Amino acid sequence: MMEYGTFDLKSTPEGDPVVVLRELREFDQVGSAWSDVLNFLKAERPKRLVLDFSRTRAGNSAGVAFFKAVELYCEQNGVELSQNAVPQVLEQLLRLAKSDAGGSAPSRTPLSPIVQIGAFAWDVVEEVHDFIGFVGLFLVRSVKSFLYIRRFRWKEMAYYLQLCGADAMPILALLSFLIGLVIAFQAAVQLRQFGANIYVADLVSLSIVRELGPLLTGVILAGRSGSAFAAEIGTMKVNEEVDALTVMGFDVVGFLALPKIYALVLAGPLLTLFADVMGIIGGIVVGIVGLDLTLRSFMQEAYMILTMPDLISGLMKSIVFALLIALIGCFRGLQTEKGADSVGRQTTSAVVSSLFLIILADAVFTVLFHVFDY
Amino acid sequence: MSSPGEIQSASAHGLDIIKVEEASLGYGENVLLRDMSFNVRSGEIFTVLGGSGCGKSTLLKALIGLLPPVKGSIIVGGEEITGPDSANALRRVRRRIGVLFQSGALLGSLTLGENVALPLEEFTDLPKELVWDIVRFKLQLVGLGRYESFMPSELSGGMKKRAGLARAMALDPEILFCDEPSAGLDPVTAAELDHLLIQLNEALGVTIVVITHELASIDAISHRSLMLDREAHGIIALGETRRLKEESDDPRVQAFFRRQAPREEASR
């Protein structure tokens, strides 16, 4: 009798191999037996095989998988398989496995690459279509909310104004201050060479008020509020709260989305003004500490360069950014399907789509302001 | 050891695999269940019964080590999971138990196959092909053999529960805990799940602890039962299920098994 790692090898009177398995109690023991027996079969290529379980009393699910794997190998390679002293547990489990009446699963044919590209393009078209529909619905509900202004959920709006506006101020203050600081430093290195230190005030004020203030506020709002809207509405959808509102006769967009959108549209320009102030303070710090400017000269220069159109263009941008972020956040939340992973996907998508759209909108604004010389 | 309302019987089942001694359970100051003592015998299907809010799910949480008792001890599979070495004991015990949660609790980002493969890949060194053979066998066992590549979100509630059962059974646990397995299922699907539990109990000798208040399920699967009551803050009956149903003289037990409303409300 030859010995292998997990079984002993005997032979029948006719000379066919008999694999006497030793122990199949633990899953890992079965794993080793599985490798050994299949390797033996591949190396020896016998015509017949006897699996002898007489030395193993235990059986488990791994044993069933092992037995079925050997059976399949023998079937595919024309080996005649017989077994001896199969443990009762193993027999019962094999019987259970054979009694699967699971019905047929819907068929799934893999899509060709061209069909996948087409499906992706169609998904994009459908998304744009759905988003335009959602914007239309928002406009209709907005008109309705102005007509029935006493029924509007003011308390909700105040709550979201606090959440998206006031609560975002500390992080926005820090970021704007640092951005102002960095721009002033970068500019100072160059301007000092020409003795034009004072123009740091012009550069910082203009870039912060026209461009970076609204953009930075938009990024913060997309990360904090757009994602929160998507996650909140998405979770409500998974928990069937949105369905409950619908069957109770509530208008979901009016009830859930409008207070959020209005709050963010109000918070956007207010936060932008705040970011402008903090950014300019960052520039002032560098001006005073690094360039020997006085507060008065810096403020005077900034006052001379900044015009009302600069401020208005920045605020216009911030309103559009906030509107886009809120619309995308609520839209993605309502697109959520079943399951926690869908909430995660839509939240991520809300942030990514918002960032893409605010940068796109910024580019459009820049071109328009240039064309109309604003 | 005897508890209030206990109906003693000779049992064909083995040694005590779960022992709860003088355990009180609750959340912070709010103690829901006081001074409970009972045991579950190896190889039996043991049901925990009681109305809504009586603490059935709290008891389950304590038995699977998610909620330490306020006082008392819980021994699962010979390991005291409430003692000073509870963290290590729990680690050893968790390899030997499976839990079927009420909603199936499948991970939504993984396919059914990957969900079932998870414990096999984590706790064994089996070759990948064998792991997937076991996964297919387990899914076959619960009648989902052809749904291996499906996502949980594509399945019905009953299918999710069956897949949850396949995952709970992945490592052939000695004890299977089921939290309201028939809740929210149609009678036919619920009966199929009950049948599956009986088959697993008979084929593998798994001890099954089922939290339920579905009378049809209790009739079909339960060997012994324990009944909890919200007002009593603990056990009001314990024993062989058939005898509890037929012989208990506790009006609360009878009201439960006969689906009767409390007398005051019924007479209104």
Side-chain angles (χ1 to χ4, degrees):
Chain A
M1 185 167 68
M2 290 176 71
E3 284 189 16
Y4 285 77
T6 54
F7 63 86
D8 301 322
L9 190 62
K10 293 198 296 189
S11 57
T12 60
E14 293 80 32
D16 298 321
V18 178
V19 167
V20 185
L21 295 155
R22 284 193 203 131
E23 190 59 87
L24 296 176
R25 190 174 291 275
E26 299 295 329
F27 272 41
D28 287 335
Q29 289 169 337
V30 180
S32 308
W34 179 85
S35 307
D36 286 353
V37 172
L38 286 183
N39 285 340
F40 166 77
L41 283 171
K42 281 171 196 164
E44 300 296 327
R45 298 179 175 277
K47 288 243 166 55
R48 288 184 204 84
L49 175 77
V50 181
L51 268 185
D52 189 335
F53 292 88
S54 56
R55 287 175 60 186
T56 61
R57 283 177 303 280
N60 54 32
S61 305
V64 174
F66 158 76
F67 186 78
K68 290 180 95 180
V70 174
E71 200 176 44
L72 184 70
Y73 178 89
C74 291
E75 201 180 295
Q76 285 172 346
N77 294 279
V79 183
E80 201 179 302
L81 176 70
S82 54
Q83 57 271 0
N84 180 33
V86 181
Q88 204 190 349
V89 178
L90 211 58
E91 262 186 346
Q92 276 179 307
L93 285 172
L94 279 164
R95 215 175 301 130
L96 281 180
K98 279 174 186 158
S99 68
D100 174 21
S104 58
S107 63
R108 290 187 149 186
T109 40
L111 301 175
S112 70
I114 292 175
V115 175
Q116 282 183 22
I117 292 169
F120 174 75
W122 183 245
D123 282 350
V124 172
V125 171
E126 265 193 334
E127 283 224 333
V128 173
H129 172 268
D130 290 350
F131 184 63
I132 292 170
F134 179 73
V135 173
L137 205 58
F138 158 71
L139 291 174
V140 172
R141 300 293 183 250
S142 294
V143 172
K144 207 173 155 190
S145 75
F146 287 120
L147 293 176
Y148 301 98
I149 203 148
R150 286 172 64 187
R151 289 174 67 181
F152 185 70
R153 301 173 72 217
W154 295 105
K155 261 172 83 174
E156 286 281 304
M157 186 180 144
Y159 167 75
Y160 286 110
L161 195 57
Q162 158 84 28
L163 202 73
C164 308
D167 291 356
M169 284 173 77
I171 183 70
L172 187 63
L174 182 67
L175 288 186
S176 314
F177 177 80
L178 290 175
I179 290 285
L181 206 85
V182 170
I183 293 172
F185 255 122
Q186 295 291 348
V189 174
Q190 301 301 322
L191 293 173
R192 195 186 281 147
Q193 294 175 28
F194 307 103
N197 292 1
I198 190 64
Y199 292 114
V200 167
D202 300 44
L203 191 94
V204 170
S205 316
L206 261 185
S207 57
I208 291 276
V209 171
R210 279 197 80 106
E211 196 63 45
L212 290 171
L215 205 59
L216 208 56
T217 309
V219 170
I220 293 286
L221 287 182
R224 282 187 87 251
S225 311
S227 58
F229 292 172
E232 184 187 323
I233 298 177
T235 310
M236 287 179 78
K237 228 175 150 209
V238 171
N239 293 339
E240 297 180 326
E241 291 169 49
V242 173
D243 292 345
L245 285 172
T246 309
V247 294
M248 281 191 284
F250 285 90
D251 163 47
V252 172
V253 173
F255 191 85
L256 291 177
L258 277 196
K260 294 181 177 66
I261 297 172
Y262 288 169
L264 210 64
V265 168
L266 196 59
L270 293 174
L271 285 174
T272 300
L273 280 177
F274 179 65
D276 290 348
V277 172
M278 293 309 295
I280 291 172
I281 290 175
I284 290 172
V285 170
V286 173
I288 292 172
V289 174
L291 297 170
D292 301 327
L293 297 177
T294 62
L295 176 64
R296 189 185 168 80
S297 61
F298 193 104
M299 292 302 288
Q300 215 164 20
E301 189 64 24
Y303 183 73
M304 278 172 64
I305 193 73
L306 283 176
T307 59
M308 197 45 97
D310 294 328
L311 192 67
I312 290 172
S313 69
L315 293 181
M316 273 168 67
K317 279 184 185 178
S318 71
I319 291 171
V320 173
F321 291 172
L323 184 64
L324 285 173
I325 292 162
L327 281 170
I328 290 278
C330 295
F331 173 67
R332 290 294 186 205
L334 288 169
Q335 273 192 323
T336 306
E337 291 155 6
K338 290 182 196 168
D341 59 323
S342 181
V343 178
R345 265 202 312 275
Q346 295 301 340
T347 308
T348 309
S349 176
V351 177
V352 174
S353 311
S354 302
L355 290 177
F356 169 71
L357 279 182
I358 61 176
I359 288 171
L360 189 71
D362 194 34
V364 171
F365 268 118
T366 308
V367 172
L368 286 178
F369 289 151
H370 179 72
V371 169
F372 293 105
D373 199 21
Y374 192 72
Chain B
M1 183 176 56
S2 166
S3 292
E6 182 164 4
I7 293 180
Q8 301 285 354
S9 67
S11 169
H13 297 105
L15 299 167
D16 295 342
I17 197 161
I18 298 174
K19 269 187 194 176
V20 177
E21 286 169 358
E22 300 291 320
S24 294
L25 306 173
Y27 303 90
E29 297 292 302
N30 182 21
V31 178
L32 287 175
L33 299 166
R34 291 198 188 107
D35 301 324
M36 288 185 304
S37 294
F38 66 93
N39 51 31
V40 177
R41 294 168 196 156
S42 175
E44 72 178 354
I45 301 183
F46 185 85
T47 45
V48 179
L49 317 176
S52 302
C54 68
K56 298 191 296 290
S57 296
T58 305
L59 176 59
L60 176 72
K61 276 188 179 178
L63 293 178
I64 60 178
L66 293 179
L67 179 75
V70 178
K71 76 173 188 70
S73 76
I74 298 174
I75 299 166
V76 178
E79 304 270 2
E80 186 173 357
I81 60 169
T82 50
D85 191 30
S86 61
N88 285 326
L90 270 172
R91 204 171 304 129
R92 288 190 294 270
V93 162
R94 282 191 176 135
R95 171 71 178 73
R96 297 163 57 196
I97 64 171
V99 184
L100 168 60
F101 290 95
Q102 215 177 108
S103 59
L106 298 168
L107 302 187
S109 54
L110 304 180
T111 63
L112 283 203
E114 287 164 344
N115 263 288
V116 180
L118 212 59
L120 290 162
E121 285 168 346
E122 185 66 26
F123 293 111
T124 69
D125 295 319
L126 294 176
K128 206 168 178 183
E129 294 98 313
L130 188 58
V131 165
W132 282 90
D133 282 347
I134 298 172
V135 167
R136 278 185 278 276
F137 164 59
K138 292 292 176 184
L139 286 173
Q140 258 181 3
L141 212 61
V142 297
L144 294 173
R146 298 171 191 89
Y147 289 82
E148 185 188 315
S149 62
F150 277 61
M151 301 303 285
S153 57
E154 296 173 291
L155 303 181
S156 68
M159 289 162 103
K160 275 185 202 167
K161 280 202 180 169
R162 281 189 279 156
L165 182 60
R167 188 181 64 182
M169 290 298 299
L171 289 165
D172 288 354
E174 289 166 48
I175 312 168
L176 176 68
F177 295 94
C178 304
D179 190 6
E180 307 208 11
S182 343
L185 299 183
D186 66 83
V188 176
T189 312
E192 278 174 5
L193 202 62
D194 289 341
H195 181 61
L196 202 55
L197 291 177
I198 294 169
Q199 279 185 321
L200 291 172
N201 172 256
E202 286 173 356
L204 285 167
V206 192
T207 308
I208 305 181
V209 178
V210 184
I211 308 287
T212 185
H213 48 213
E214 301 280 335
L215 292 175
S217 256
I218 297 163
D219 278 342
I221 62 174
S222 177
H223 298 140
R224 285 200 317 135
S225 293
L226 167 158
M227 189 174 287
L228 300 173
D229 184 73
R230 189 165 51 178
E231 302 298 320
H233 290 286
I235 300 171
I236 54 166
L238 175 66
E240 201 181 320
T241 312
R242 187 185 54 77
R243 294 186 63 191
L244 277 185
K245 188 177 173 182
E246 289 166 6
E247 297 171 21
S248 173
D249 48 11
D250 188 321
R252 295 167 297 184
V253 177
Q254 286 308 314
F256 180 88
F257 280 112
R258 290 177 188 166
R259 296 188 82 234
Q260 284 174 334
R263 202 165 288 165
E264 299 83 355
E265 282 180 30
S267 60
R268 266 177 216 161

